[in-house]
């Protein structure tokens, strides 16, 4: 693979850079796995070099991230991106910036200023040495833009928040069917009967209300037709993927984490593991980096456009996170009519309020600047307006609140030295809502949920509500009052996006935190495994991160014993008989099971309870836990005979389907022949080749195994899973393990662009080094930095 100019000097011979904005000498050691270890003499310089280094490895990615989030794509790419820019700007933070900076704790503004100064220093270097620019810029004829500190925090649409789309879908389902049918889409825990709630007529909350939100949070695509679109064609690029695909993506993105107390480990020290699951892409969403300066020595994974790290460890404390599906959004519907004399006025309380229209200028490549209005009610952006019916639909989200920039709250805990200090720091965590786990060198472990969780005094937040003032947030839950635990009796803490609210939060009358959670299979498997291991080791955590036992497969296969063992059904039963329910890459039963479950049985159940195809589309991809329960205990929803008939019919169909796809000999079947991870570079459609793509890799697992490998049922292509995996030995840090798939660099010319892909596909890890001695021995490249002594001195 051709190397980027930044990788042309492997080995330890140092390269020297002289940088304006740097206060003192510093260095970066890049180890053989592409992890940058940054050492500086001040906090300013270490964050300055974090930004410089992020741009060195990920400039195309973070430049696109900034332009997408700020709504600046059309200036580079033309009218086909104008609608996406317009949507994205609705979700920017528009509040008081002093309150915003203060929300993250002392020093955040200075850190962000240093970080973006470092990014800008690298951009300045590319102007002097254009060969350092990633090749995507030349392909698309663009240049990177300079950053402002506010750019780091104002972009909100990258965070995972819940549950506006689900509220709209629930209203649609209830308009066509009933609450029991909606449980097939998203079961509710703690239980709530949506049918007992009064709300707007579903006609007042159309599916079209999803479109602005979907477009404003969508990734960027580069189809030739989109890049060639004229200004007249701009509106045709205002829709993104199908509703089911968007909902599936949100459902599949989660994480695992756990911390095991030293009383249950081989060494007597805690072990902490964390592997966030997000949409798989090239380059990776996460980036590993080590920051060392006076008072700071932290290593871990963050997002390359954000300073600090959110998952990792310092010298005293390890920390990891998963999404905690608290409800941080609400949809408001102004159903009592806007003012007949002025559709821009709506009822609130006893009077009228005016829609706020913000005129904004959009630069568009090859066209005059365009001026478009952004529209807001007191609750937030208007998602949909129907002038004929005089209706408005708007959204309120924690994104509008100070302190909700994704993961930036991690800056408050980078120097925490104990689990208790870590817990205190979480008052600065806003978005996304997460389950933190932490473990310190004193031996303590803890689980702490964090995030801005609205207080709803009179409704559970599962359906759109009138926006007339009767349904308002009463502030937010106190951070210390959210669910948490320290040193529990079981000897470990763990989470995997499941419903994990303690009993005290489930009591009748308790304020709602959230009701929609991930399939609980991963969490149950993690807890089962950790409970059985009395002497847990690093290898055990690494193996658990890549565990492919499917509890769903075990549960469903247990329902097959009374089926007739004849024909294709009999052949399928014989293959599944005695199977260990592990979705290993080379397993023939795994291939048959997943094909049966996701392509035949799941649609069969949905078709049985929702025969209307339009309704059925609203239910996709379906609540997997709820669907399995309907198979395990059919009565009273349907009869055991009907259940067995569906099992028999779909199992025979799956056998025939598997033979068509993989050949007539079951001995040649393998799950990995169907289940493929192919990471396509966003610009590959423009190149006409797959040189920048990574894969395909045939892999095991599914969205219901601890090794989360979610896929599209249509073609079994992997869509999300763990790109970063960390396993940390708390106190003996150099024994820790990590992986960042497919590699650390985002530059296709770099040796580190895809050098970890095969390791990832083999379910393996690489060393996660921390001590100066270990880093020195593993250094593959050494970069040294000096501050410029005068404004006239060269930047390189």
């Amino acid at each position: 693979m051709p190397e980027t100019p930044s990788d042309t000097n492997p080995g330890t011979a140092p390269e020297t850079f002289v940088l304006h904005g740097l206060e003192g000498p510093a260095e970066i050691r890049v180890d053989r796995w592409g992890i940058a270890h940054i050492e500086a003499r001040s906090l300013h310089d270490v964050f300055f070099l974090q930004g410089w280094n992020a741009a060195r490895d990920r400039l195309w990615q973070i430049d696109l991230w900034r332009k997408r989030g700020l709504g600046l794509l059309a200036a580079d790419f033309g009218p086909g991106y104008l609608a996406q820019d317009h949507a994205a700007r609705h979700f920017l933070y528009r509040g008081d910036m002093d309150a915003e900076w203060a929300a993250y704790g002392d020093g955040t503004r200075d850190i962000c200023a240093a970080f973006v100064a470092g990014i800008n220093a690298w951009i300045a270097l590319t102007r002097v040495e254009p060969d350092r620019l990633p090749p995507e810029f030349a392909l698309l004829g663009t240049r990177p833009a300079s950053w402002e500190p506010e750019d780091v925090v104002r972009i909100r649409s990258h965070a995972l928040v819940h549950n506006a789309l689900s509220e709209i879908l629930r209203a649609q389902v209830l308009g066509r069917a009933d609450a029991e049918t909606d449980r097939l889409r998203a079961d509710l825990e703690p239980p709530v009967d949506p049918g007992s709630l009064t709300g707007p007529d579903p006609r007042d909350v159309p599916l079209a209300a999803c479109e602005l939100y979907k477009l404003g949070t969508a990734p960027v695509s580069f189809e030739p037709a989109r890049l060639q679109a004229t200004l007249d064609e701009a509106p045709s690029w205002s829709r993104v993927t199908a509703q089911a695909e968007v909902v599936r993506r949100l459902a599949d993105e989660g994480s695992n984490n756990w911390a095991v107390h030293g009383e249950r480990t081989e060494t007597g020290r805690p072990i902490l593991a964390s592997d966030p699951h997000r949409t798989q892409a090239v380059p990776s969403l996460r980036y590993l980096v080590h920051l060392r300066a006076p008072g700071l020595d932290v290593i871990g994974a963050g997002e390359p456009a954000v300073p600090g790290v959110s998952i990792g460890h310092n010298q005293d404390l390890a920390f990891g996170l998963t999404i905690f599906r608290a409800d941080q959004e609400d949809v408001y519907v102004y159903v009592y009519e806007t003012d007949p004399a002025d559709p821009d006025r709506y009822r609130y309380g006893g009077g009228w309020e005016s829609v706020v229209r913000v005129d904004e200028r959009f630069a568009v490549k090859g066209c005059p600047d365009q001026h478009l209005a952004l529209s807001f009610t007191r609750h937030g952006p208007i998602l949909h307006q129907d002038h004929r019916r005089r209706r408005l639909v708007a959204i309120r989200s924690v994104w509008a609140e100070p302190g909700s920039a994704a993961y930036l709250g991690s800056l408050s805990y980078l120097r925490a030295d104990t689990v208790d200090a870590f817990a205190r720091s979480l008052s600065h965590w806003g978005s996304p809502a997460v389950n933190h786990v932490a473990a310190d060198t004193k031996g303590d472990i803890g689980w702490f949920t964090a995030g801005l969780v609205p207080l709803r005094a009179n409704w559970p937040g599962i359906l759109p509500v009138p926006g007339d003032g009767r349904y308002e947030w009463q502030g937010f839950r106190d951070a210390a009052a959210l669910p948490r635990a320290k040193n529990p009796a079981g000897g470990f803490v763990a989470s995997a996006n499941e419903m994990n609210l303690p009993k005290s939060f489930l009591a009748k009358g308790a304020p709602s935190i959230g009701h929609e959670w991930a399939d609980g299979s991963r969490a149950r498997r993690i807890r089962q495994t950790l409970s059985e291991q009395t002497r847990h080791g690093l290898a055990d955590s690494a193996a658990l991160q890549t565990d492919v036992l499917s509890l769903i497969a075990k549960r469903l296969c247990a329902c097959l014993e009374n089926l007739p063992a004849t024909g294709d059904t009999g052949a399928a039963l014989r293959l599944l008989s005695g199977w260990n329910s592990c979705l290993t890459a080379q397993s023939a039963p795994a291939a048959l099971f997943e094909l049966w479950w996701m392509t035949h049985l799941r649609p069969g159940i949905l078709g049985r309870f929702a025969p209307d195809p339009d309704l059925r589309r609203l239910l996709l991809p379906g609540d997997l836990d709820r669907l399995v329960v309907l198979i395990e205990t059919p009565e009273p929803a349907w009869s055991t005979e009907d259940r067995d008939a569906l099992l028999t019919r779909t199992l025979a169909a799956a056998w025939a389907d598997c033979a068509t796809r993989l050949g007539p000999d079951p001995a040649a079947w393998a799950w990995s022949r169907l289940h493929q991870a192919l990471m396509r570079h966003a610009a590959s459609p423009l190149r006409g080749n797959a040189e920048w793509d990574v894969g395909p890799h045939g892999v095991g697992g599914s969205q219901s195994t601890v090794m989360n490998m979610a896929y599209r049922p249509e073609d079994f292509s992997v869509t999300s899973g763990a790109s970063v995996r960390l396993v940390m030995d708390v106190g003996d840090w150099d024994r820790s393990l990590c992986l960042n798939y497919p590699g650390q660099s985002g530059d296709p010319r770099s040796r580190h662009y895809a050098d970890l892909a095969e390791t990832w596909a083999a379910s393996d890890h690489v060393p996660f080094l921390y001590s100066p001695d270990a880093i020195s021995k593993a250094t593959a490249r050494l970069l040294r930095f000096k501050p410029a002594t005068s404004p006239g001195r060269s930047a390189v």
Side-chain angles (χ1 to χ4, degrees):
M1 177 183 295
E3 294 179 337
T4 175
S6 64
D7 276 347
T8 53
N9 295 306
T12 56
E15 304 161 71
T16 300
F17 297 84
V18 180
L19 299 179
H20 293 291
L22 199 66
E23 296 175 347
E27 71 175 26
I28 297 177
R29 290 181 176 269
V30 182
D31 67 28
R32 67 188 65 171
W33 303 282
I35 301 172
H37 304 264
I38 303 172
E39 185 165 6
R41 297 184 182 180
S42 69
L43 288 176
H44 170 275
D45 280 2
V46 81
F47 287 110
F48 179 98
L49 286 176
Q50 185 186 9
W52 187 93
N53 181 70
R56 176 187 69 84
D57 256 346
R58 301 287 188 94
L59 183 58
W60 166 256
Q61 181 187 30
I62 65 173
D63 183 71
L64 193 63
W65 183 91
R66 174 185 173 275
K67 289 169 179 172
R68 182 204 67 81
L70 293 177
L72 301 173
L73 295 171
D76 274 3
F77 307 119
Y81 297 81
L82 180 59
Q84 187 167 359
D85 283 349
H86 179 247
R89 292 199 195 179
H90 282 83
F91 301 104
L92 288 171
Y93 177 71
R94 294 175 175 273
D96 178 73
M97 285 306 301
D98 288 338
E100 170 71 0
W101 291 120
Y104 305 103
D106 294 341
T108 298
R109 186 172 190 167
D110 291 339
I111 289 172
C112 289
F115 181 76
V116 302
I119 294 174
N120 292 338
W122 177 264
I123 292 172
L125 178 58
T126 67
R127 296 189 183 117
V128 178
E129 301 180 25
D131 286 348
R132 293 186 183 272
L133 275 177
E136 294 94 334
F137 288 103
L139 177 67
L140 285 145
T142 65
R143 289 291 183 268
S146 296
W147 289 55
E148 297 291 337
E150 290 76 14
D151 297 345
V152 176
V153 297
R154 291 190 64 224
I155 297 170
R156 303 300 214 214
S157 53
H158 192 56
L160 295 176
V161 292
H162 302 84
N163 63 341
L165 292 183
S166 187
E167 289 186 20
I168 294 170
L169 289 172
R170 181 167 289 110
Q172 289 289 313
V173 172
L174 294 182
R176 292 168 167 82
D178 54 23
E180 196 63 25
T181 301
D182 189 63
R183 294 182 68 194
L184 300 172
R185 183 191 64 82
D187 208 356
L188 297 173
E189 298 181 80
V192 178
D193 178 11
S196 66
L197 305 173
T198 58
D201 187 309
R203 293 175 298 174
D204 293 315
V205 198
L207 280 175
C210 297
E211 294 302 323
L212 188 81
Y213 186 102
K214 288 162 53 181
L215 188 58
T217 57
V220 185
S221 62
F222 293 106
E223 303 90 344
R226 187 178 189 185
L227 288 163
Q228 296 162 12
T230 65
L231 196 57
D232 289 341
E233 295 170 329
S236 66
W237 295 98
S238 62
R239 297 178 66 87
V240 290
T241 54
Q243 184 66 48
E245 182 71 15
V246 174
V247 174
R248 182 183 299 124
R249 173 170 54 84
L250 293 173
D252 289 341
E253 292 181 330
S255 306
N256 306 315
N257 64 18
W258 54 85
V260 183
H261 196 278
E263 293 179 353
R264 297 182 66 92
T265 68
E266 294 174 339
T267 64
R269 297 186 298 271
I271 291 173
L272 188 144
S274 188
D275 56 307
H277 308 151
R278 294 289 295 272
T279 298
Q280 294 284 22
V282 55
S284 168
L285 170 66
R286 309 287 193 211
Y287 186 73
L288 293 164
V289 68
H290 185 179
L291 308 173
R292 178 179 284 136
L296 179 70
D297 192 355
V298 64
I299 186 171
E303 299 191 353
V306 179
V309 299
S310 54
I311 304 168
H313 70 81
N314 58 33
Q315 65 271 35
D316 300 305
L317 180 85
F319 41 87
L321 56 81
T322 73
I323 293 296
F324 174 63
R325 294 193 174 178
D327 184 352
Q328 295 185 298
E329 299 174 319
D330 279 302
V331 174
Y332 287 89
V333 185
Y334 306 88
V335 297
Y336 25 81
E337 298 188 350
T338 53
D339 187 344
D342 182 356
D344 276 357
R345 295 208 306 165
Y346 58 91
R347 287 277 188 193
Y348 187 81
W352 297 100
E353 291 196 2
S354 294
V355 170
V356 176
R357 308 283 187 191
V358 179
D359 181 79
E360 296 220 349
R361 181 180 64 85
F362 295 80
V364 182
K365 181 181 177 182
C367 302
D369 289 351
Q370 301 295 300
H371 287 265
L372 301 176
L374 312 180
S375 303
F376 303 88
T377 70
R378 65 162 34 235
H379 293 114
I382 292 177
L383 300 177
H384 181 76
Q385 184 165 10
D386 185 336
H387 291 289
R388 183 182 62 83
R389 293 175 57 84
R390 301 203 298 273
R391 302 290 191 266
L392 294 175
V393 180
I395 181 175
R396 183 172 186 186
S397 171
V398 297
W399 283 342
E401 303 296 328
S404 289
Y407 303 104
L408 199 63
S410 60
L411 292 176
S412 66
Y413 59 65
L414 297 184
R415 287 172 279 182
D417 58 355
T418 65
V419 165
D420 290 337
F422 179 86
R424 290 192 294 271
S425 77
L426 297 180
S427 61
H428 297 293
W429 188 277
S431 173
V434 298
N435 296 277
H436 289 284
V437 295
D440 62 34
T441 52
K442 294 182 178 180
D444 290 327
I445 64 172
W447 161 69
F448 310 94
T449 59
L452 289 173
V453 179
L455 282 166
R456 301 173 180 86
N458 58 330
W459 90 105
I462 63 170
L463 278 168
V465 291
D468 56 9
R470 290 176 290 162
Y471 300 92
E472 297 292 343
W473 293 357
Q474 307 296 316
F476 300 93
R477 280 182 174 262
D478 181 74
L482 289 169
R484 52 180 53 190
K486 179 182 174 183
N487 296 331
F492 65 86
V493 291
S495 69
N497 321 116
E498 79 281 16
M499 204 297 287
N500 56 357
L501 296 176
K503 289 183 179 179
S504 59
F505 289 82
L506 303 178
K508 186 176 181 180
S512 172
I513 287 181
H515 296 271
E516 298 179 353
W517 312 88
D519 160 29
S521 298
R522 287 184 289 114
R524 287 189 287 269
R525 174 60 177 163
I526 291 167
R527 294 179 185 280
Q528 175 191 73
T529 302
L530 294 179
S531 296
E532 293 171 353
Q533 293 174 342
T534 57
R535 287 294 176 262
H536 185 82
L538 285 175
D540 294 315
S541 268
L544 184 53
Q545 284 186 335
T546 56
D547 183 271
V548 293
L549 176 67
S550 170
L551 294 182
I552 281 185
K554 186 181 289 288
R555 291 166 66 185
L556 289 176
C557 287
C559 299
L560 303 178
E561 59 184 26
N562 294 323
L563 300 189
T566 58
D568 285 351
T569 300
L573 290 171
R574 288 188 290 274
L575 183 61
L576 294 174
S577 177
W579 176 45
N580 63 4
S581 300
C582 288
L583 302 177
T584 53
Q586 299 308 313
S587 171
L592 174 63
F593 174 80
E594 287 295 310
L595 188 63
W596 171 53
W597 164 224
M598 294 301 284
T599 307
H600 296 278
L601 180 56
R602 180 185 60 101
I605 302 171
L606 292 174
R608 166 63 176 75
F609 290 98
D612 176 7
D614 290 335
L615 172 61
R616 194 158 61 246
R617 278 190 285 271
L618 296 174
L619 305 179
L620 292 173
D623 187 292
L624 300 188
D625 266 334
R626 177 61 184 159
L627 298 180
V628 173
V629 168
L630 282 172
I631 291 292
E632 289 179 316
T633 54
E635 309 287 352
W638 57 329
S639 70
T640 301
E641 292 76 13
D642 285 347
R643 186 274 311 266
D644 287 349
L646 178 64
L647 295 177
T648 301
R649 182 174 69 254
T650 56
L651 200 54
W655 179 269
D657 193 0
C658 214
T660 299
R661 294 172 188 253
L662 300 177
D665 182 8
W669 296 355
W671 176 218
S672 60
R673 289 181 59 193
L674 294 172
H675 192 222
Q676 301 268 314
L678 173 60
M679 303 300 107
R680 296 189 183 277
H681 192 288
S684 287
L686 307 180
R687 291 171 50 82
N689 62 54
E691 184 181 355
W692 292 353
D693 297 345
V694 179
H697 296 105
V699 292
S702 75
Q703 65 266 52
S704 297
T705 61
V706 179
M707 187 175 80
N708 186 340
M709 291 287 181
Y711 58 86
R712 282 191 299 267
E714 296 83 2
D715 60 7
F716 301 98
S717 297
V718 173
T719 55
S720 66
S723 57
V724 162
R725 296 184 181 125
L726 300 181
V727 180
M728 292 167 279
D729 186 329
V730 179
D732 194 355
W733 302 112
D734 285 337
R735 296 183 68 240
S736 302
L737 304 170
C738 71
L739 193 82
N740 190 18
Y741 171 72
Q744 278 280 94
S745 178
D747 191 318
R749 303 167 298 179
S750 170
R751 67 179 63 238
H752 297 301
Y753 179 70
D755 58 331
L756 298 178
E758 296 293 340
T759 304
W760 175 85
S763 298
D764 210 345
H765 296 67
V766 300
F768 190 44
L769 303 179
Y770 182 69
S771 71
D773 183 58
I775 293 164
S776 178
K777 291 176 181 177
T779 297
R781 186 170 176 219
L782 176 59
L783 312 177
R784 287 181 174 158
F785 302 87
K786 298 177 180 178
T789 56
S790 69
R793 188 170 179 180
S794 171
V796 296

